[in-house]
């Protein structure tokens, strides 16, 4: 059974951890979440007072999805997918933008940021400062938010490389990244990955607070050959132990020199990683 994991988490929702499960397709545990869809917007109080609008919050039907389980996450814990809420002005509802394409979402977010920088104070809404409850929410394990909302020094995982693309970095068991630096008047930040390398990422990239579960995965010892077979690993036979018909290294005397295959057949070829903006 292939479990579909929600790496995007771009809905404005609050959820409850139903159960934590084992997934044979990855090293970490996964959590089944029951989400309650939330939509934030503005509406007119009445037809006469159409210019005077007030904010409203509506809760839709529940839905379920799998996410990567965090370390110390328990059944019954409450988690949240935070929306893009700037400290000075408008609220961007990703619930309404969910049906839009990636280009339309990116244009929506960029347009809102330009609007905030041009008009730091909006007449329809008072300037908003982060309270203590907001800071605690952005530090809660399992909360998914943008890097702009995350606290400096937080441990994060399931990090996006491009805003809206979904988490592609730091997803293995027991791994975590760290938000180490933010810049004034720049929409970039520095994130340290588990390898120790530091990368410049967009502040609109989303990440999940906490460490990936099953941190003891790399300390497990396989006590018999059958455990490797359970994991799908088959025995490996050396080429020099085969006959010439079975392998290019096969046959000949014991002291015969081993000749490698030609390079164009893929032997000794190093894997090439996609370049990132490294510091």
């Amino acid at each position: 059974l292939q479990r579909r994991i929600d790496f995007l988490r771009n809905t404005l929702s609050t959820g409850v951890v139903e159960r934590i499960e084992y997934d044979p397709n990855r090293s970490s545990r996964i959590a089944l979440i029951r989400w309650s869809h939330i939509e934030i917007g503005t509406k007119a109080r009445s037809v006469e007072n159409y210019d005077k609008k007030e904010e409203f919050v509506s809760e839709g039907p529940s839905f379920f999805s799998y996410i990567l389980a965090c370390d110390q996450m328990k059944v019954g814990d409450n988690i949240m997918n935070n929306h893009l809420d700037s400290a000075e002005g408008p609220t961007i509802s990703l619930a309404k933008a969910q049906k839009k394409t990636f280009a339309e979402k990116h244009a929506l977010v960029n347009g809102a940021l330009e609007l905030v920088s041009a008009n730091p104070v909006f007449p329809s809404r008072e300037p908003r400062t982060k309270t203590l409850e907001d800071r605690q929410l952005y530090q809660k394990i399992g909360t998914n938010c943008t890097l702009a909302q995350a606290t400096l020094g937080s441990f994060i995982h399931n990090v996006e490389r491009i805003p809206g693309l979904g988490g592609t970095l730091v997803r293995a068991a027991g791994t975590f990244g760290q938000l180490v630096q933010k810049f004034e008047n720049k929409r970039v930040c520095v994130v340290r990955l588990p390898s120790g390398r530091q990368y410049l990422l967009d502040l609109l990239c989303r990440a999940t607070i906490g460490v990936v579960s099953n941190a003891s995965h790399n300390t497990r010892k396989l006590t018999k050959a059958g455990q490797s077979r359970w994991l799908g690993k088959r025995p490996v036979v050396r080429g020099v132990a085969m006959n010439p018909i079975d392998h290019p290294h096969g046959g000949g005397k014991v002291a015969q020199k081993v000749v490698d295959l030609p390079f164009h057949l893929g032997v000794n070829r190093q894997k090439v990683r996609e370049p990132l903006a490294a510091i």
Side-chain angles (χ1 to χ4, degrees), residues 199-219:
Y199 288 104
L200 284 174
L201 295 177
D202 197 319
L203 281 176
L204 295 182
C205 291
R206 305 177 68 84
T208 305
I209 306 298
V211 182
V212 186
S213 59
N214 196 19
S216 60
H217 171 74
N218 61 345
T219 62

Side-chain angles (χ1 to χ4, degrees), residues 238-252 261:
R238 296 171 299 129
V240 294
M242 300 181 185
N243 295 324
I245 193 64
D246 298 321
H247 197 275
H249 295 171
L261 288 174

Side-chain angles (χ1 to χ4, degrees), residues 91-128:
T91 299
I92 305 171
S93 178
L94 290 183
K96 291 183 177 180
Q98 191 175 11
K99 298 182 180 179
K100 297 181 180 294
T101 62
F102 173 74
E104 291 174 342
K105 288 181 184 178
H106 209 270
L108 174 66
V109 173
N110 288 337
L113 286 178
E114 293 176 359
L115 195 62
V116 169
S117 60
N119 303 303
V121 179
F122 287 79
S124 61
R125 183 174 179 179
E126 294 294 331
R128 182 172 177 270

Side-chain angles (χ1 to χ4, degrees), residues 59-81:
E59 184 172 343
S62 301
F63 59 97
F64 293 85
S65 69
Y66 282 111
I67 66 169
L68 294 180
C70 305
D71 194 21
Q72 300 179 358
M73 179 181 285
K74 302 182 296 297
V75 176
D77 287 353
N78 295 319
I79 62 175
M80 183 175 182
N81 294 339

Side-chain angles (χ1 to χ4, degrees), residues 32-199:
L32 181 65
I33 310 298
R34 185 181 77 250
W35 297 103
S36 297
H37 193 79
I38 299 176
E39 185 174 348
I40 296 179
T42 58
K43 63 179 180 180
R45 297 180 180 178
S46 62
V47 178
E48 295 79 8
N49 300 329
Y50 182 77
D51 296 336
K52 298 180 180 179
K53 296 184 178 182
E54 60 182 2
E55 294 185 353
F56 72 94
V57 179
S58 62
E59 184 172 343
S62 301
F63 59 97
F64 293 85
S65 69
Y66 282 111
I67 66 169
L68 294 180
C70 305
D71 194 21
Q72 300 179 358
M73 179 181 285
K74 302 182 296 297
V75 176
D77 287 353
N78 295 319
I79 62 175
M80 183 175 182
N81 294 339
N82 284 330
H83 60 291
L84 296 177
D85 186 9
S86 62
E88 295 85 6
T91 299
I92 305 171
S93 178
L94 290 183
K96 291 183 177 180
Q98 191 175 11
K99 298 182 180 179
K100 297 181 180 294
T101 62
F102 173 74
E104 291 174 342
K105 288 181 184 178
H106 209 270
L108 174 66
V109 173
N110 288 337
L113 286 178
E114 293 176 359
L115 195 62
V116 169
S117 60
N119 303 303
V121 179
F122 287 79
S124 61
R125 183 174 179 179
E126 294 294 331
R128 182 172 177 270
T129 57
K130 288 185 178 181
T131 61
L132 180 60
E133 295 181 356
D134 291 338
R135 297 192 187 98
Q136 292 176 350
L137 177 63
Y138 298 146
Q139 295 176 0
K140 188 175 181 180
I141 293 176
T143 296
N144 186 273
C145 60
T146 60
L147 294 176
Q149 295 171 324
T151 307
L152 198 64
S154 301
F155 289 160
I156 55 178
H157 67 275
N158 190 31
V159 185
E160 289 182 335
R161 291 175 51 192
I162 301 175
L165 189 63
T168 55
L169 302 174
V170 195
R171 303 195 315 198
T175 58
F176 61 89
Q178 190 173 17
L179 182 61
V180 296
Q181 189 176 4
K182 294 183 180 181
F183 302 95
E184 293 184 5
N185 303 325
K186 291 184 179 181
R187 215 182 69 180
V188 292
C189 63
V190 179
V191 174
R192 183 187 296 121
L193 299 184
S195 61
R197 302 183 68 181
Q198 298 183 358
Y199 288 104

Side-chain angles (χ1 to χ4, degrees), residues 219-244:
T219 62
R220 184 180 58 171
K221 293 184 180 297
L222 302 180
T223 57
K224 63 178 184 178
Q227 290 186 350
S228 296
R229 299 305 300 267
W230 297 341
L231 299 176
K233 298 178 182 178
R234 300 187 72 243
V236 178
V237 180
R238 296 171 299 129
V240 294
M242 300 181 185
N243 295 324

